[in-house]
């Protein structure tokens, strides 16, 4: 289908909206009426037509506005994109994976012409037509990771793999759920996950790491994660907590349907060919409560999940104070009927 790109903002007047199409394909993350952390990994080899799982890197109506928001964040804070010196090759691997995937998956929007190491990249929505030499940084306006992730929705962590461990040694992180690349850069898998409650004791990170160390080239994996955000903010970083944290106190019973958003991350895992690094794209999808409840099963289920979520998780995800108001709103959409398993 042809995508109509929205003109919208994720700050100031918050004009972000989901079309009926975007609501229909929203990756609602709850398969049952309760939620607990698990090693919820599956293969990322396509999915139903039109779904966010269909392509390797999903593109939707928010593409151009998300790229504008990223440019604003980077102009204020260039440290949102970092790459330790040994990660440049992984940056080229990332550029290649994204350019090849997008030009194959969206040929009407992106084209890649390759003649040996002389490449020409055409990104029609962003009006880019650029010729460069693959693996020669001097032919790009910035490093390869920054270049391609300024043109691709979602955050990106690039993990070096050595000593049977993953290290966060590069990334582009402007749409994150309250964590910081600048703080985590150089940390390993257990260190950057240290703040997460309960999951360490459940053995989740040990099992997840084992899985990730074995992800093979051409066999990507994926999982969903979720949290809550007041106002459709992409940049909920610790660096800008002073700007967005306070907004959590502006919820009222009258505005909660429009202001409270469920934030879902489609996380994927790709092994990169030359560097053997692991690419971890984290794609953020936002949806207002008032749009969720247009799907009766989702409204019912979200009420039950939020109601029964362990206190540690509601605290970590930052909505413990607003939980009672959320439940008042959502309970109106829960008729007590059983829900069938699956989304
Ligand atoms: C949270 C990174 C893979 C489970 C986080 C956080 C980061 C992160 C930065 C936020 C921690 C904080 O509060 O500062 C990554 C990276 C991964 C990865 C770079 C890829 C290598 C996984 C996998 C699992 C997982 C495979 C599987 C179970 C979690 C959970 C949380 C978390 C449960 C808490 C999320 C929440 O409650 O909202 N991760 N992660 N992560 N991660 Fe990962």
């Amino acid at each position: 289908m042809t995508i109509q790109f929205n003109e919208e903002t994720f700050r100031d007047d918050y004009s972000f909206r989901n079309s009926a199409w975007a609501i229909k394909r929203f990756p609602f993350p709850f398969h049952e009426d309760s939620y607990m952390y698990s090693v919820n990994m599956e293969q990322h080899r396509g999915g139903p037509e039109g779904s966010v799982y269909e392509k390797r890197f999903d593109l939707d109506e928010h593409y151009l506005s998300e790229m504008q928001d990223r440019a604003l964040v980077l102009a204020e804070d260039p440290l949102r994109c970092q790459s330790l010196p040994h990660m440049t090759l992984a940056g080229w691997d990332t550029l290649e994976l994204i350019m090849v995937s997008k030009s194959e998956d969206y040929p009407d929007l992106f084209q890649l012409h390759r003649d040996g190491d002389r490449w020409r990249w055409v990104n029609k929505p962003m009006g880019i037509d650029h010729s460069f030499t693959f693996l020669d940084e001097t032919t790009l306006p910035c490093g390869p990771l920054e270049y391609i992730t300024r043109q691709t929705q979602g955050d990106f962590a690039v993990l070096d793999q050595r000593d049977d461990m993953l290290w966060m040694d590069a990334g582009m992180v402007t749409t994150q759920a309250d964590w910081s690349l600048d703080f985590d850069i150089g940390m390993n898998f257990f260190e950057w996950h240290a703040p997460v409650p309960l999951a360490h004791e459940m053995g989740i990170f040990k099992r997840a790491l084992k899985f990730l160390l074995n992800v093979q080239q051409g066999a990507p994996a994926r999982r969903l994660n979720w949290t809550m955000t007041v106002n459709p903010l992409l940049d909920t970083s610790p660096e800008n907590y002073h700007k967005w944290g306070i907004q959590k106190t502006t919820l009222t019973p009258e505005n909660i349907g429009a202001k409270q958003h469920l934030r879902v991350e489609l996380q994927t895992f790709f092994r990169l060919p030359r560097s053997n690094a692991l690419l971890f794209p984290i794609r953020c999808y936002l949806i207002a409560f008032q749009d969720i409840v247009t799907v009766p099963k989702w409204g019912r289920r979200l009420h039950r999940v939020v109601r029964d979520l362990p206190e540690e998780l509601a605290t970590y995800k930052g909505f413990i104070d607003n939980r009672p108001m959320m439940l008042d709103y959502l309970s109106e959409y829960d008729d007590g009927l059983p829900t069938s398993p699956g989304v």
Side-chain angles (χ1 to χ4, degrees):
M1 74 173 273
T2 316
I3 301 172
Q4 279 297 117
F5 298 110
N6 298 350
E7 270 186 42
E8 60 188 359
T9 55
F10 300 89
R11 53 182 70 215
D12 305 325
D13 62 346
Y14 297 112
S15 58
F16 163 87
R17 293 291 174 276
N18 279 312
S19 66
W21 173 71
I23 295 171
K24 189 159 176 264
R25 72 198 295 273
F26 190 83
F28 190 72
F30 306 115
H31 294 270
E32 52 190 4
D33 288 353
S34 61
Y35 176 82
M36 181 31 94
Y37 293 144
S38 63
V39 187
N40 54 334
M41 310 281 293
E42 57 184 328
Q43 291 195 331
H44 185 50
R45 291 228 178 115
E49 201 184 321
S51 76
V52 302
Y53 311 110
E54 184 185 3
K55 314 285 196 203
R56 285 164 280 189
F57 296 89
D58 181 47
L59 186 98
D60 67 11
E61 63 195 31
H62 307 298
Y63 177 47
L64 293 181
S65 50
E66 287 189 20
M67 293 303 95
Q68 281 158 8
D69 198 76
R70 166 154 295 158
L72 290 173
V73 174
L74 287 168
E76 246 182 40
D77 184 359
L79 292 179
R80 300 301 189 87
C81 184
Q82 299 191 39
S83 178
L84 298 183
H86 62 282
M87 296 302 280
T88 306
L89 188 59
W92 284 108
D93 277 338
T94 303
L95 174 145
E96 177 188 52
L97 175 68
I98 294 177
M99 286 186 177
V100 169
S101 303
K102 281 191 157 183
S103 58
E104 287 175 1
D105 292 347
Y106 302 96
D108 49 333
L109 301 178
F110 303 95
Q111 288 164 7
L112 179 63
H113 307 276
R114 288 184 282 187
D115 176 10
D117 58 5
R118 297 180 59 78
W119 292 22
R120 179 175 161 222
W121 167 243
V122 182
N123 173 340
K124 289 189 188 165
M126 290 183 75
I128 294 169
D129 184 336
H130 189 108
S131 296
F132 62 96
T133 306
F134 188 66
L135 296 179
D136 179 354
E137 265 194 272
T138 63
T139 59
L140 288 179
C142 53
L145 178 68
E146 178 174 347
Y147 181 77
I148 195 58
T149 57
R150 276 180 180 269
Q151 301 178 46
T152 311
Q153 286 167 279
D155 281 344
F156 294 82
V158 194
L159 298 319
D160 194 27
Q161 183 160 329
R162 54 181 193 272
D163 307 328
D164 284 336
M165 181 48 78
L166 292 168
W167 306 85
M168 199 182 294
D169 287 350
M172 167 67 93
V173 178
T174 64
T175 70
Q176 71 272 48
D178 206 4
W179 66 278
S180 163
L181 175 69
D182 192 41
F183 185 76
D184 286 359
I185 191 99
M187 284 190 188
N188 72 36
F189 190 80
F190 296 124
E191 289 168 344
W192 77 64
H193 278 123
V196 181
L198 303 183
H200 293 271
E201 301 89 295
M202 293 167 70
I204 283 179
F205 290 123
K206 268 196 184 134
R207 275 181 285 139
L209 177 64
K210 201 169 168 196
F211 182 98
L212 293 180
L213 291 175
N214 288 301
V215 168
Q216 303 293 313
Q217 208 187 312
R222 67 171 175 245
R223 67 183 288 265
L224 292 180
N225 186 43
W226 67 276
T227 188
M228 294 285 178
T229 305
V230 173
N231 288 325
L233 274 154
L234 281 179
D235 175 22
T236 50
S237 56
E239 287 88 344
N240 278 331
Y241 187 81
H242 59 289
K243 293 184 190 162
W244 61 268
I246 188 83
Q247 296 181 29
K248 292 199 261 181
T249 62
T250 63
L251 273 195
T252 65
E254 291 69 42
N255 68 25
I256 187 168
K259 266 183 172 261
Q260 180 63 59
H261 288 70
L262 173 66
R263 181 187 195 100
V264 175
E265 293 175 352
L266 170 57
Q267 307 182 340
T268 47
F269 306 88
F270 293 85
R271 176 71 56 202
L272 297 175
R274 298 171 189 77
S275 57
N276 198 42
L278 191 73
L279 179 66
F280 179 54
I282 312 155
R283 176 64 194 282
C284 169
Y285 295 86
L286 291 162
I287 187 170
F289 270 25
Q290 66 189 16
D291 289 339
I292 294 178
V293 300
T294 60
V295 181
K297 182 172 176 178
W298 292 359
R300 234 180 249 139
R301 182 160 279 174
L302 187 62
H303 172 242
R304 297 170 194 183
V305 167
V306 172
R307 183 190 61 200
D308 300 337
L309 195 74
E311 204 169 313
E312 293 93 330
L313 269 71
T315 304
Y316 175 73
K317 289 174 186 285
F319 65 87
I320 191 83
D321 292 343
N322 285 330
R323 174 149 72 170
M325 207 192 300
M326 289 163 135
L327 290 176
D328 277 348
Y329 177 85
L330 291 170
S331 62
E332 297 288 316
Y333 300 92
D334 187 353
D335 50 17
L337 287 176
T339 57
S340 49
V343 176

